[in-house]
Amino acid sequence: MRLGVLWLLLWLASPLAAQTSAPPLRDYAIDVWTSRNGLPHNSLRDIAQTPEGHLWFATWEGLVRYNGLDFTVFDRSTRPGLRDNGIGALLVDRQGGLWITDSRGNVTYRSSAGQWRVWEHEANTPEVLIQSMQMDSQGRLWLLYEGKGIAYLTPETGIVYQPPPPDLPLAMSFTKLVVDAQDRVWIGTLDGLVLRDNDGELKRAPAGWGVGKGLTWPYRAPDGALWIVAGERLYRVEDDRLVLVHSLPGQLHMTAMLQDRHGDIWLGTENQGLLRISSHGLERLPAGLNLPGGRVVSLREDAEGSIWVGANGGLYRLRETLFSSYTERDGLSGDYVRTVFEDRDRRLWVGSASGLDQQTADGRFRPMVLHNRGGKAASVLSLAQDPGGDLWVGTFGDGVYRLRADGSLRHNYDAADGMPGGNIRAISVDPSGVVWAGTQKGVVRIDGDRVRVANTPGMPNGLITALEHDHQGNLWIGTIEGIRVLRGDHVQSIDLAPMGGGRSVFGFHQIGEAMWISSDRGLYRWYRNRLSRVGLEQGMPVDAVFQLVPDRLGNVWISSNRGVLRTDMATLNAVADGRAPRVMVERYNEIDGMANAQANGSSAPSAILRQDGTFWVVTAGGLSTVDPQRLQRFRERPAPPAAIENVQVDGAQVHWEGPERNLIPGGRRLAVSFVGLSYLMSDRIRYRTRLDGLDTSWVERGPQRSVEFVGLPPGDYTLHVAASHPGGAWGQQEAVWSFTVEPFWWQRHSVQAMIGLLLLGALVALYRFLLQQYKANNLRLARRVDEATFDLQAQTVHLQALNQEKTELAERLARQAEAFERQAREDALTGLANRRGFDETLARDFARSQRSGHPLSLVVLDIDHFKDVNDTYSHSIGDLVLKEVAEVIAAACRDSDLPARTGGEEFALLLNDTRLEEAAQVCARLRGLFHDHPDWAGVKGLRVTFSAGLVELAADDRTPALLYQRADRALYRAKSDGRDRTSIG
């Protein structure tokens, strides 16, 4: 048998397949595909699965192959191509080959090695749709032509056609043809059942069966039993007698049937969807699923136990999932669930944004009347039970409700009772029965009918997000700013921020001596007064986690915004202790049956472990649950078989299937695509490859589905591909492809030997030639050395002279550059800084003072009546006066001050780290120096004075220009007030 059959047998022997019965129909997850998802047509006439694991679909627009991720279409435009796009039926034979019929009477065969062969319709065979086909024990392929009778095909004889007798209703044939264990052919019609007996005669089914003349058709189950579907009745043929097994109520037109590995019966109908008859009775799919409509044409159970349904409106698949979910369809008041709680009587309570519900014995939910003063259902955020059995319900904006065990209202604690407004996200009951509630304004204590705000020093007074009493009775309080722990009459603060940046706390769970904390930066553990963390950096796939719940099997379930995470307690402790670097986590979401991957948090409890050991978690789309006992069965399912999808050499696809070894020209780029043929978690499958001839061990590829080799050396190679589910073992059914990389012509041994001999002869000849050349070159070289030595000595002398000249020139240029730089910022007459130099220094010191806060003063002064000096004594005397003025000002300045001539008879003095009072003293001292200076410019009796404006840098001086303008205005006032004075601005 082929490896695919072995894979199927292993699956059947696994714990998952060995379940005594399937779960209820409502617990199956349903996936839908239509032409929007890659199907070429929405009507699927037949479904088949070949041994390696591919699924095949018959549509009106071609044959479709599916690998769990991608649809590949084969039609008249592809190579290899089909004779017609309208596919009628599919059949997988004992060798793993796929038989295909079409709407023009052609039959195509695709072998397990990928070889195609076509039997076109012949002149004496109908050119119509072949609706169905089956193979008998002799290898004859029986064909049902739509309204035109039957035929059989063998590779040796071709198609042997048998037209329908006029007295039989084969003109109204249905889409079902079955070959039983005796090689009798049974044909369904709209007017009764037709049989081709072993004598070759076509006739109606035995009249004694009493199946009537309505829609009747056969089905052969995997166990070989023959079933007859007639109207609303299902019969099984036993010893050529009909035994009524099921009679279904209502006017049903059944169009497809499947018996699965559990023995359950699946029935497709004309217009009433899909039914199942199992240990749970007659089941229908829940309403409101928005499944493809119209007739159910085909049913198929794949190797993993999923049920595929082909309808006129598309394809859908039912698969058993790890999680089960409850939504509004099951009676919940709303799908946005915030909290779930199991009381001591094992009753389940569910709080949502739409109210409070309780689960009934039949698994459905009924609403509990919990109206606010506006008459609307309260939005429930938290639940708890006190020792007396009363249920406490925290709400969004409506306080706390206290309910009796039967759900009747005992009291509503609101503002009139002293309850702070806002939402109640957490409730905890201490060992003495006192109820503690977390509000938006801190923690309140409800003792009897009294509501008191807990005012112990250090208690938080803002939003409370989590509450939990530990084994010692201490109250752990979660806030959006860390943790407080009320220990008797004092409060301990635990800051999460220094370790990973945690702030918001969503939940607590004590395990032994350790308190585990769920936060916006992963998990924290408080153990023996020491805090440790397991977060994103330690392998957690998300930052924010809401609730940690350990089960009884060693698993730890963690809710988050991006699904439910699962790990084990030993690993978490090892990472928290620093004994392991990272935690390994599995993540579950909608594909695993969750109602919604977004679990809700900041409510309590948001996830629980029930007394029966099941884990329950609230989500944004309903309530989800998982039985950890089933986890191992799912993890132990067989690894997916690996299959090679295509091979390309330099981008061109090559035919790789078959026993012949492919020859690949050397130096080419080889790309191989592969897939793990599982349809449960296709996007999570991991891969590894090993190329014998290159790799010495397996190479892990993760989810990568292709591998590329460039420039492989010549030789024989075999590529192995293996696949596995996350956390599972590697599959034994590997994809294997052998090929040979051909050498280039120069890499062939004969060519290499010839080239070697030629090279050897060439080397000998070359050696002799080079020896003669060497002797002649030695003589020439000696002469050239002597000549070159003389030239080099002469050039050395010349270069030394040039280098000396270059050095002197560089020095002159440096002195000139220094002089030019000084002239650009220095007044030529006085030697003080000019206006450009002054402005640059003012801007620099202005910025420094603004940054440092150090004081800065500015003096702008002007020589009084300087024009009279020029007019009376000449401009040369005026220039001498200006030079003496500059000398006096410079003499009065400190090293840190900057005197400057800013133009004509105007000067400025920039005083760093100088307050206004100190600057005024400088101006006074300078005025004294002017008064004491005799005979300016050597002119007897010539007296020179100045007027000055003085300012200090202020906060509103946003720019140096504004500071200078204030000093200039002060100078103007000094002149206006009589000159020879300093005006402070």
Side-chain angles (χ1 to χ4, degrees):
M1 297 294 289
R2 293 177 59 84
L3 285 174
V5 177
L6 177 60
W7 175 59
L8 176 58
L9 293 176
L10 287 172
W11 198 98
L12 290 169
S14 69
L16 181 61
Q19 298 178 74
T20 56
S21 63
L25 197 57
R26 66 162 308 282
D27 285 347
Y28 280 79
I30 301 178
D31 306 291
V32 179
W33 295 267
T34 66
S35 55
R36 294 183 178 181
N37 309 109
L39 285 172
H41 195 273
N42 285 331
S43 181
L44 281 82
R45 297 188 54 83
D46 206 355
I47 305 172
Q49 186 173 25
T50 42
E52 83 286 351
H54 281 108
L55 283 169
W56 301 81
F57 306 118
T59 78
W60 285 110
E61 290 298 332
L63 173 68
V64 180
R65 186 181 69 189
Y66 186 50
N67 61 16
L69 296 169
D70 307 306
F71 292 103
T72 302
V73 179
F74 300 88
D75 56 20
R76 294 183 64 239
S77 66
T78 59
R79 292 294 176 269
L82 301 176
R83 294 296 186 271
D84 188 69
N85 288 349
I87 307 302
L90 303 173
L91 176 71
V92 179
D93 64 19
R94 301 180 188 91
Q95 291 73 41
L98 179 67
W99 293 88
I100 308 139
T101 66
D102 63 32
S103 62
R104 293 180 180 250
N106 305 304
V107 180
T108 303
Y109 180 68
R110 181 188 183 276
S111 72
S112 59
Q115 304 294 330
W116 296 74
R117 181 179 176 184
V118 179
W119 287 266
E120 296 190 2
H121 80 91
E122 301 173 2
N124 63 335
T125 61
E127 192 178 0
V128 297
L129 175 70
I130 299 178
Q131 297 175 298
S132 182
M133 59 179 159
Q134 288 290 315
M135 187 168 286
D136 64 18
S137 62
Q138 304 174 45
R140 295 178 297 181
L141 183 68
W142 290 91
L143 310 173
L144 174 61
Y145 292 93
E146 185 176 28
K148 297 292 185 179
I150 62 174
Y152 68 84
L153 179 150
T154 66
E156 297 79 17
T157 62
I159 299 175
V160 179
Y161 174 59
Q162 185 172 1
D167 58 337
L168 293 180
L170 286 178
M172 296 187 293
S173 62
F174 193 55
T175 58
K176 309 298 180 185
L177 175 146
V178 161
V179 179
D180 66 15
Q182 289 80 42
D183 283 348
R184 295 178 297 181
V185 181
W186 300 84
I187 306 159
T189 78
L190 298 174
D191 187 23
L193 189 65
V194 174
L195 166 67
R196 182 191 185 277
D197 216 334
N198 290 331
D199 58 6
E201 181 184 356
L202 285 168
K203 55 189 174 183
R204 284 186 176 273
W209 284 8
V211 294
K213 293 188 176 182
L215 173 60
T216 308
W217 48 272
Y219 168 75
R220 190 174 182 188
D223 60 6
L226 179 65
W227 293 73
I228 304 297
V229 181
E232 297 86 29
R233 300 179 303 279
L234 279 79
Y235 299 92
R236 188 169 55 239
V237 179
E238 298 179 0
D239 298 328
D240 279 347
R241 293 182 301 105
L242 286 189
V243 177
L244 180 62
V245 180
H246 299 289
S247 182
L248 306 182
Q251 297 296 317
L252 293 175
H253 296 287
M254 290 178 282
T255 54
M257 178 174 170
L258 170 70
Q259 185 180 41
D260 66 20
R261 64 192 63 193
H262 303 293
D264 299 338
I265 301 296
W266 298 78
L267 297 168
T269 68
E270 177 68 26
N271 53 17
Q272 296 188 44
L274 184 67
L275 312 176
R276 187 179 73 168
I277 304 171
S278 69
S279 59
H280 304 284
L282 177 63
E283 300 173 280
R284 297 175 184 267
L285 289 174
L289 293 179
N290 195 26
L291 298 177
R295 174 189 297 178
V296 174
V297 183
S298 52
L299 295 171
R300 174 68 58 181
E301 181 182 21
D302 69 18
E304 295 173 301
S306 297
I307 306 300
W308 296 79
V309 184
N312 284 342
L315 170 71
Y316 57 100
R317 184 262 306 269
L318 292 88
R319 55 185 170 85
E320 186 180 348
T321 57
L322 182 61
F323 282 77
S324 301
S325 294
Y326 296 86
T327 64
E328 291 181 6
R329 293 197 305 267
D330 304 292
L332 286 178
S333 297
D335 284 344
Y336 197 81
V337 183
R338 299 304 304 268
T339 179
V340 58
F341 179 79
E342 184 183 29
D343 65 21
R344 285 189 288 276
D345 297 324
R346 298 195 174 191
R347 290 172 299 197
L348 191 70
W349 301 81
V350 181
S352 70
S354 303
L356 178 67
D357 300 296
Q358 185 189 72
Q359 190 177 35
T360 59
D362 63 356
R364 294 187 61 80
F365 292 87
R366 64 185 180 93
M368 309 302 293
V369 177
L370 200 67
H371 291 159
N372 57 24
R373 284 184 168 78
K376 296 182 179 179
S379 177
V380 178
L381 295 175
S382 54
L383 295 167
Q385 190 177 31
D386 64 22
D390 286 352
L391 186 73
W392 296 77
V393 184
T395 68
F396 185 91
D398 295 307
V400 175
Y401 291 82
R402 183 179 183 181
L403 306 181
R404 298 180 179 88
D406 61 0
S408 60
L409 179 64
R410 186 185 292 275
H411 189 70
N412 177 204
Y413 297 87
D414 56 13
D417 302 290
M419 179 69 68
N423 48 65
I424 312 297
R425 295 180 177 271
I427 302 175
S428 184
V429 183
D430 68 18
S432 64
V434 176
V435 177
W436 300 75
T439 76
Q440 284 188 270
K441 297 182 179 179
V443 180
V444 300
R445 173 176 172 159
I446 308 174
D447 192 356
D449 293 331
R450 298 168 57 194
V451 177
R452 291 182 298 172
V453 176
N455 54 10
T456 303
M459 289 288 283
N461 55 13
L463 175 64
I464 306 301
T465 54
L467 289 176
E468 180 78 15
H469 281 90
D470 63 20
H471 300 335
Q472 291 75 38
N474 302 310
L475 180 62
W476 290 70
I477 306 165
T479 74
I480 59 175
E481 295 179 340
I483 301 170
R484 304 289 189 276
V485 185
L486 179 59
R487 302 183 185 275
D489 58 356
H490 75 279
V491 176
Q492 177 187 10
S493 176
I494 300 176
D495 188 8
L496 305 180
M499 184 176 290
R503 286 180 58 84
S504 297
V505 175
F506 302 119
F508 300 100
H509 193 97
Q510 186 171 11
I511 302 174
E513 298 181 47
M515 180 65 78
W516 286 88
I517 303 146
S518 304
S519 78
D520 60 347
R521 285 295 183 270
L523 293 171
Y524 288 84
R525 187 189 69 175
W526 181 260
Y527 179 59
R528 296 181 179 177
N529 293 320
R530 180 177 175 270
L531 190 68
S532 53
R533 175 172 173 264
V534 182
L536 202 65
E537 298 82 357
Q538 290 77 35
M540 293 288 284
V542 296
D543 261 331
V545 293
F546 299 135
Q547 190 72 47
L548 175 147
V549 179
D551 65 23
R552 296 166 189 164
L553 302 179
N555 300 299
V556 175
W557 304 83
I558 306 164
S559 61
S560 78
N561 269 327
R562 294 165 62 186
V564 169
L565 316 177
R566 190 201 63 80
T567 183
D568 61 86
M569 202 69 246
T571 301
L572 281 181
N573 279 318
V575 175
D577 292 339
R579 293 180 285 110
R582 294 179 66 81
V583 62
M584 299 300 295
V585 176
E586 287 187 12
R587 181 162 55 185
Y588 305 99
N589 52 30
E590 291 94 343
I591 196 171
D592 302 292
M594 288 187 63
N596 192 297
Q598 177 189 321
N600 282 326
S602 194
S603 53
S606 58
I608 63 170
L609 189 75
R610 295 191 66 177
Q611 296 178 53
D612 62 4
T614 56
F615 169 73
W616 295 70
V617 60
V618 301
T619 79
L623 181 66
S624 294
T625 177
V626 59
D627 184 354
Q629 297 277 4
R630 300 177 63 218
L631 176 66
Q632 191 60 28
R633 297 202 297 268
F634 272 78
R635 289 173 60 86
E636 288 179 353
R637 63 178 175 271
I644 292 176
E645 292 277 275
N646 65 71
V647 176
Q648 293 185 347
V649 176
D650 284 349
Q653 188 163 331
V654 300
H655 180 76
W656 60 272
E657 298 173 288
E660 297 83 9
R661 178 182 290 270
N662 288 85
L663 298 178
I664 308 298
R668 303 299 177 87
R669 178 171 55 87
L670 177 64
V672 182
S673 299
F674 42 80
V675 69
L677 291 172
S678 171
Y679 301 92
L680 295 179
M681 296 187 296
S682 304
D683 56 343
R684 300 187 193 174
I685 294 174
R686 298 180 300 117
Y687 300 93
R688 65 177 183 175
T689 64
R690 188 184 75 244
L691 183 62
D692 292 345
L694 179 68
D695 299 325
T696 57
S697 60
W698 289 95
V699 179
E700 301 276 347
R701 301 291 180 182
Q704 177 183 330
R705 292 178 47 224
S706 63
V707 65
E708 189 171 285
F709 304 100
V710 179
L712 285 173
D716 295 333
Y717 297 91
T718 299
L719 177 66
H720 299 260
V721 181
S724 75
H725 289 296
W730 290 103
Q732 297 302 308
Q733 185 177 342
E734 301 173 0
V736 180
W737 175 54
S738 298
F739 61 95
T740 297
V741 176
E742 297 180 301
F744 292 102
W745 64 267
W746 62 82
Q747 294 175 317
R748 296 171 184 168
H749 296 310
S750 59
V751 174
Q752 290 175 345
M754 185 178 297
I755 293 175
L757 292 174
L758 292 175
L759 285 175
L760 181 60
L763 287 173
V764 171
L766 179 62
Y767 172 75
R768 292 178 176 176
F769 173 75
L770 292 178
L771 187 59
Q772 294 176 356
Q773 290 292 105
Y774 174 75
K775 295 177 180 178
N777 288 338
N778 275 346
L779 295 175
R780 286 195 298 270
L781 183 61
R783 290 195 300 270
R784 290 179 181 177
V785 167
D786 292 340
E787 295 171 357
T789 301
F790 178 79
D791 292 341
L792 286 174
Q793 290 174 345
Q795 290 176 5
T796 300
V797 173
H798 180 65
L799 288 174
Q800 288 175 344
L802 289 176
N803 186 56
Q804 179 65 28
E805 183 179 346
K806 182 187 71 172
T807 301
E808 295 173 354
L809 178 60
E811 291 175 351
R812 288 198 302 272
L813 290 174
R815 288 194 297 271
Q816 289 178 359
E818 182 180 355
F820 290 155
E821 178 68 20
R822 187 172 59 254
Q823 291 171 7
R825 290 172 175 79
E826 186 180 282
D827 180 55
L829 178 63
T830 64
L832 299 180
N834 61 13
R835 183 59 182 262
R836 177 182 175 184
F838 174 77
D839 285 345
E840 290 177 354
T841 304
L842 175 62
R844 182 193 65 210
D845 291 352
F846 181 91
R848 182 183 63 82
S849 295
Q850 281 195 325
R851 287 194 306 271
S852 64
H854 291 178
L856 177 68
S857 295
L858 173 63
V859 180
V860 178
L861 56 89
D862 190 83
I863 305 302
D864 295 332
H865 304 297
F866 183 72
K867 185 176 184 298
D868 294 343
V869 174
N870 283 334
D871 293 344
T872 304
Y873 300 103
S874 78
H875 284 278
S876 60
I877 294 299
D879 288 345
L880 290 174
V881 169
L882 290 175
K883 291 176 67 176
E884 290 181 10
V885 166
E887 293 170 357
V888 171
I889 294 175
C893 289
R894 301 168 298 180
D895 291 342
S896 60
D897 301 334
L898 176 70
R901 180 190 178 200
T902 57
E905 66 271 25
E906 185 172 309
F907 294 82
L909 183 58
L910 187 61
L911 305 173
N912 274 299
D913 295 321
T914 305
R915 295 288 182 189
L916 188 64
E917 296 79 4
E918 298 170 348
Q921 294 174 8
V922 172
C923 291
R925 185 169 66 253
L926 186 60
R927 179 169 291 102
L929 293 174
F930 268 61
H931 290 172
D932 294 341
H933 192 87
D935 303 331
W936 288 82
V939 178
K940 189 171 183 65
L942 177 59
R943 182 172 177 269
V944 176
T945 63
F946 68 86
S947 300
L950 169 63
V951 293
E952 182 183 358
L953 178 63
D956 55 354
D957 291 323
R958 294 188 300 276
T959 65
L962 293 176
L963 178 66
Y964 195 92
Q965 289 173 8
R966 285 204 298 123
D968 203 43
R969 288 195 295 272
L971 170 63
Y972 179 76
R973 286 196 303 273
K975 289 184 177 183
S976 301
D977 293 343
R979 293 185 171 83
D980 192 17
R981 67 191 64 225
T982 300
S983 177
I984 297 176

